[in-house]
Amino acid sequence: MYGFINTCLQSLVTEKFGEETWEKLKASADVQDAFMTYTVYDDVVTTRLVQEACRLLGVSTEAILKLFGEHFFKFCKMSGYDRMLRTLGGDLPEFIENLDALHSYLALSYQEMNAPSFRVERGADGRMLLHYYSDRSGLCHIVPGIIEAVAKDFFDIEVTMDIVHMNREEERTGKKEHVVFLVGQKSHRHMRTAKPNRLQDSQDFRRDQEVLAFLRMKEKYVSVSACPVKKSKKSPWEVVRSIVMFGKGQPANTVVPVYPERLWIEPKTFCKAFPFHIVFDESLRVKQAGVNIQKYVPGLQTQKIPLDEYFSIVHPQVAFNICSICKFINSQFVLKARREKMPEAWKSQPALKLRGQMIWMESVRCMAYVCSPKLRSLQELEQRRMHLSDIAPHDTTRDLILLNQQRLAEIELSNQLERKKEELRVLSRHLAIEKKKTETLLYAMLPEHVANQLKDGKKVAAGEFKTCTILFSDVVTFTNICAACQPIQIVTMLNSMYSKFDRLTSVHEVYKVETIGDAYMVVGGVPVPVGSHAQRVANFALGMRIAAAEVKNPVTGEPIQIRVGIHTGPVLAGVVGDKMPRYCLFGDTVNTASRMESHGLPNQVHLSPTAYRALQNRGFDMAERGEIEVKGKGRMTTYFLLRNLRASDDEILGHPRGPRGGGSSADAGARGGPDGRAVAVMRYEDSESPPPAGLGADGEEPTAPGGRPAGERSPDGSSVAMAVAGGDSAEAGDQRTVTPDGPGARPSGFCAVL
């Protein structure tokens, strides 16, 4: 089938069931993204789409095909075939009888089209039998959808169609599906009796007005004494009524043709005037042929030769005998010359095809085939060594060839435009994918709102966060491990450990600042202020300790040990540098957090006093370490974070589980992480109602250095702005699952540590 059919099916699914359903259908049917109108596709593609549509929508094949038939009619009208369809016939039977002629015309543009064939048998009771023939089985249920839509739209009638007979007939070309429909028609006027009384009263009033008008017309013309119809026995009113159609006011077709007693044309003149015609009897023996058909099929110059020896019937696909031809007498017949009967010099050129009408002449018991060469373009005319002068001047085939030559050029141009459009669509999709990769990498290096400002060429002003929590970690005896191992072993160990840590940043939604060698730095509450920043970083630290135990020391084979230090306090954050810009944190809080890490113990989470106070009464088990000497800080009372009393290890590590039993965490919906395992984002007190963008962790507006609100100009005229409220900051606390490739995560970086 041509892409026009598949495009119509796409339009149906999209319009009736939505774009998402079409995407699912396309994926399950394993078909390409778009269809070209004039490109031929295997019938299997359409069949697979229909089958998958039935499965996805839970409806029968008959219902889908009938719905497709209704939509196909509307789709053809919208595609520019409306006027062509309306002119096929004055009533439904005439419309159906001329469908084959329409298909024959469309075959000029759609050369590979294998259309079905239709034949109508009219009944005296107003019903008719519709015979449907097709090489494709199982598609007959499309026909009721099309015919019912045509009857309702064009002829204001409703029809009922029932299958009375279905079989597969052995035709000349093989098996064909033959389905007989019983078509009953019912006027719309009779179908509207159930409408509101007001509408019914209006219709009755209109009908009474029409009756009164015709009564007045009868009175006006009842005195007519003379009538142009000679010796008519009708009354004057009956004469008028025969001329004027009831309720229409249009003259009826009362012309009775007059035939001459003899045909006033010589046989020689007739054969020249109709150069392509054949007359043959019931036994298919040729009685007469036009001059040009004799020229291109020389065998026809021999009288009484069997026509089926020189021609085969291409359409309709029936046996070549009088009975089969009479069954399809209203159809357009296409005959093809047999190549083996052509002169030797002509056998290399395309075979001659004729298209025309079969006319049965009862008085002489012969069939007349009035035809013309079936040609699509001037190129085909040249290939058959023919000229326009071979076609009679009155034959519209001349104009059709010239017009279709232009039409073929337009089709080729349309094909090129469609191909370019598809190429652009594919390129656009690939560009979007590459852009997404670039943005993902950029957002992994910088906060999203900062990255977006830099992309727009704007300067990113620094901003002060009144309170946040910073974590540092390092590997115990890392220098000794580096001295005893190969570089690739160090890289493998760090990559394994950092990948686990990166995953935890997504679980607890903390921001990874950087990695330097074995040092890993994260911050909570920056760049998106949240009130639970201390709890998030504390849970992240507990998760780091568990995850690090899964990484082996390449020297001893034992689990590696890490030291973790945490401190809470204010920081200044901003972008540093033009080449490879970094989002950096500045302030004494960073230094103190680093001191907590360097003064910590293996496999312990070391807390500063401010971090301890931020975690008090938050469900964490902590122990006092005592007073120690901290380089550059003097003596400080520090603490160790032991565990979370309200969350399990699985929750801290982001492993999906059932409903939580309490505490501050729960599964926030699981999805695959970078290692293929599901990631469950931990939920905190402020997860469902995040502070407004641009506010600090304590709900106040963040201030720039010197106590000024962020964005207010400093005395020297420079602008100091808070680097928040960008990208996904408004959704920072929403219950969601984030992969480490998204905001808040950074790819592992490695220094030249050896």
Side-chain angles (χ1 to χ4, degrees):
M1 296 185 184
Y2 276 88
F4 184 82
I5 303 296
N6 296 326
T7 303
C8 176
L9 182 58
Q10 177 182 351
S11 171
L12 167 65
V13 175
T14 303
E15 180 180 318
K16 299 290 185 182
F17 307 102
E19 185 70 32
E20 183 179 352
T21 303
W22 170 250
E23 292 298 328
K24 292 180 180 178
L25 175 59
K26 185 174 60 176
S28 59
D30 191 25
V31 299
Q32 64 180 45
D33 293 337
F35 298 103
M36 303 292 184
T37 302
Y38 297 102
T39 301
V40 181
Y41 297 89
D42 197 312
D43 288 358
V44 175
V45 175
T46 307
T47 303
R48 193 161 60 235
L49 284 171
V50 172
Q51 291 173 347
E52 290 299 323
C54 295
R55 184 182 63 81
L56 284 177
L57 303 175
V59 296
S60 64
T61 305
E62 291 80 2
I64 283 290
L65 291 178
K66 184 174 181 180
L67 187 62
F68 173 78
E70 296 174 359
H71 188 78
F72 181 70
F73 169 66
K74 298 176 184 177
F75 190 74
C76 289
K77 289 176 59 181
M78 292 187 298
S79 300
Y81 294 99
D82 182 35
R83 181 169 295 177
M84 185 184 299
L85 292 171
R86 289 182 182 276
T87 57
L88 283 185
D91 55 25
L92 186 60
E94 290 180 358
F95 177 90
I96 299 173
E97 286 174 347
N98 285 281
L99 280 178
D100 283 9
L102 174 63
H103 290 155
S104 178
Y105 166 75
L106 293 178
L108 297 174
S109 301
Y110 301 88
Q111 193 172 10
E112 303 296 327
M113 182 174 65
N114 184 13
S117 183
F118 299 90
R119 179 167 63 90
V120 175
E121 288 185 16
R122 306 194 192 205
D125 57 353
R127 294 188 175 185
M128 66 179 178
L129 293 177
L130 171 59
H131 295 260
Y132 163 83
Y133 301 86
S134 176
D135 286 335
R136 303 179 179 94
S137 60
L139 300 183
C140 61
H141 299 286
I142 297 177
V143 178
I146 296 177
I147 299 302
E148 289 176 11
V150 169
K152 188 174 182 179
D153 192 304
F154 287 171
F155 307 109
D156 195 32
I157 58 175
E158 291 188 1
V159 298
T160 58
M161 296 187 64
D162 302 301
I163 297 177
V164 297
H165 180 69
M166 178 187 296
N167 69 337
R168 297 188 63 81
E169 295 184 351
E170 283 285 348
E171 297 289 354
R172 176 184 58 78
T173 57
K175 290 185 176 181
K176 291 174 64 72
E177 185 174 64
H178 177 201
V179 181
V180 182
F181 294 93
L182 177 62
V183 184
Q185 301 182 7
K186 191 172 184 180
S187 172
H188 259 336
R189 182 177 297 175
H190 298 147
M191 298 299 294
R192 295 172 182 165
T193 55
K195 291 203 172 179
N197 292 333
R198 184 174 60 182
L199 179 59
Q200 184 65 42
D201 294 343
S202 176
Q203 292 175 343
D204 292 342
F205 176 77
R206 191 183 304 111
R207 194 177 300 112
D208 292 342
Q209 291 295 105
E210 292 176 354
V211 172
L212 291 175
F214 276 95
L215 286 176
R216 287 194 297 269
M217 184 183 293
K218 180 177 179 180
E219 293 175 357
K220 180 177 180 180
Y221 289 99
V222 73
S223 60
V224 176
S225 58
C227 182
V229 181
K230 188 177 181 181
K231 298 180 180 180
S232 173
K233 296 181 179 181
K234 299 180 181 180
S235 67
W237 166 241
E238 290 175 335
V239 173
V240 173
R241 187 168 57 186
S242 67
I243 296 175
V244 181
M245 296 176 62
F246 184 83
K248 301 294 182 180
Q250 298 175 353
N253 184 15
T254 59
V255 177
V256 178
V258 177
Y259 300 101
E261 296 179 359
R262 58 182 292 267
L263 189 61
W264 291 91
I265 186 171
E266 298 175 348
K268 183 177 180 181
T269 304
F270 185 88
C271 290
K272 287 183 178 180
F274 299 94
F276 291 94
H277 81 275
I278 305 172
V279 178
F280 54 95
D281 59 17
E282 293 175 294
S283 59
L284 303 182
R285 297 193 176 275
V286 177
K287 297 291 187 179
Q288 178 179 318
V291 292
N292 284 344
I293 201 171
Q294 297 178 36
K295 173 181 176 182
Y296 293 103
V297 187
L300 295 182
Q301 292 179 327
T302 305
Q303 295 294 323
K304 297 184 179 181
I305 62 166
L307 183 62
D308 56 348
E309 289 186 6
Y310 284 85
F311 289 94
S312 60
I313 299 180
V314 176
H315 179 83
Q317 295 180 353
V318 296
F320 207 148
N321 55 62
I322 288 294
C323 293
S324 297
I325 293 174
C326 288
K327 275 205 281 187
F328 290 84
I329 195 69
N330 291 323
S331 299
Q332 192 175 70
F333 278 77
V334 177
L335 270 57
K336 181 179 180 180
R338 298 186 184 275
R339 193 179 300 275
E340 62 272 14
K341 293 294 184 178
M342 295 294 101
E344 195 66 30
W346 293 0
K347 288 185 178 181
S348 59
Q349 67 188 41
L352 175 66
K353 287 184 180 180
L354 301 174
R355 176 179 58 197
Q357 176 186 7
M358 293 286 184
I359 304 172
W360 176 247
M361 299 178 290
E362 182 64 32
S363 60
V364 293
R365 305 293 296 177
C366 287
M367 186 75 72
Y369 180 49
V370 182
C371 55
S372 301
K374 187 175 185 294
L375 301 170
R376 298 175 65 245
S377 63
L378 296 175
Q379 181 182 1
E380 291 185 1
L381 189 75
E382 293 176 344
Q383 289 174 348
R384 288 160 179 78
R385 301 181 184 179
M386 299 180 68
H387 303 86
L388 287 176
S389 58
D390 293 326
I391 303 172
H394 62 77
D395 193 339
T396 56
T397 303
R398 281 187 170 198
D399 300 330
L400 189 61
I401 293 173
L402 296 175
L403 289 173
N404 199 57
Q405 183 72 24
Q406 181 180 358
R407 167 69 174 160
L408 290 176
E410 293 174 354
I411 290 175
E412 179 59 28
L413 180 60
S414 177
N415 264 329
Q416 293 178 9
L417 291 175
E418 276 192 312
R419 285 194 293 267
K420 292 297 182 184
K421 180 181 176 182
E422 177 63 13
E423 290 174 5
L424 289 175
R425 191 188 63 80
V426 172
L427 289 175
S428 177
R429 186 182 61 186
H430 290 167
L431 180 61
I433 293 173
E434 294 302 320
K435 182 181 178 183
K436 182 66 177 178
K437 292 179 182 178
T438 304
E439 289 180 346
T440 300
L441 181 60
L442 182 60
Y443 295 156
M445 299 173 63
L446 294 169
E448 184 172 342
H449 71 283
V450 173
N452 289 335
Q453 290 184 55
L454 292 176
K455 285 196 302 182
D456 295 338
K458 299 178 182 178
K459 290 288 185 180
V460 180
E464 182 180 5
F465 292 79
K466 286 189 174 181
T467 178
C468 68
T469 300
I470 298 176
L471 175 149
F472 278 94
S473 74
D474 72 346
V475 177
V476 178
T477 67
F478 181 69
T479 304
N480 297 335
I481 295 174
C482 291
C485 294
Q486 296 294 326
I488 188 61
Q489 293 177 297
I490 302 300
V491 171
T492 302
M493 180 192 73
L494 289 178
N495 187 55
S496 175
M497 181 177 68
Y498 287 169
S499 296
K500 296 177 184 296
F501 294 172
D502 289 346
R503 182 178 178 276
L504 289 173
T505 62
S506 299
V507 175
H508 302 285
E509 295 181 312
V510 294
Y511 180 71
K512 174 183 174 182
V513 181
E514 62 181 348
T515 56
I516 303 176
D518 64 325
Y520 195 96
M521 178 183 178
V522 299
V523 61
V526 176
V528 180
V530 289
S532 59
H533 55 86
Q535 297 98 295
R536 292 173 185 269
V537 174
N539 283 324
F540 176 79
L542 295 174
M544 290 179 73
R545 191 170 61 183
I546 300 171
E550 300 175 0
V551 181
K552 303 300 181 183
N553 187 323
V555 178
T556 63
E558 298 294 327
I560 64 172
Q561 295 180 319
I562 62 172
R563 291 178 303 192
V564 181
I566 300 176
H567 177 59
T568 299
V571 296
L572 182 69
V575 177
V576 176
D578 293 327
K579 290 187 176 180
M580 296 184 64
R582 305 290 297 274
Y583 187 72
C584 298
L585 307 180
F586 301 93
D588 187 63
T589 301
V590 179
N591 187 44
T592 303
S594 177
R595 292 291 183 262
M596 290 297 102
E597 174 264 316
S598 61
H599 289 73
L601 299 178
N603 279 349
Q604 293 292 336
V605 179
H606 197 198
L607 302 177
S608 69
T610 56
Y612 171 77
R613 288 193 295 271
L615 295 176
Q616 277 185 315
N617 302 320
R618 299 291 185 177
F620 291 95
D621 186 12
M622 296 175 288
E624 182 178 341
R625 180 182 183 182
E627 190 175 1
I628 63 172
E629 183 70 27
V630 179
K631 182 180 178 181
K633 298 295 180 181
R635 302 193 65 82
M636 295 177 62
T637 301
T638 59
Y639 305 82
F640 287 127
L641 175 64
L642 303 180
R643 60 194 176 100
N644 188 329
L645 300 175
R646 299 177 182 175
S648 66
D649 289 350
D650 283 340
E651 289 177 309
I652 291 174
L653 292 174
H655 295 163
R657 49 162 289 180
R660 67 185 176 97
S664 63
S665 63
D667 289 344
R671 91 183 208 198
D675 56 357
R677 300 173 61 185
V679 174
V681 177
M682 205 163 185
R683 197 182 333 177
Y684 293 85
E685 296 173 357
D686 55 359
S687 291
E688 296 186 359
S689 55
L695 294 183
D698 55 0
E700 298 180 357
E701 184 179 354
T703 58
R708 290 179 301 277
E712 183 177 319
R713 292 190 175 273
S714 60
D716 61 356
S718 61
S719 176
V720 182
M722 186 72 177
V724 296
D728 60 348
S729 58
E731 301 176 357
D734 292 352
Q735 178 181 327
R736 71 185 192 277
T737 301
V738 185
T739 61
D741 289 333
R746 300 270 307 279
S748 300
F750 302 97
C751 291
V753 296
L754 298 178

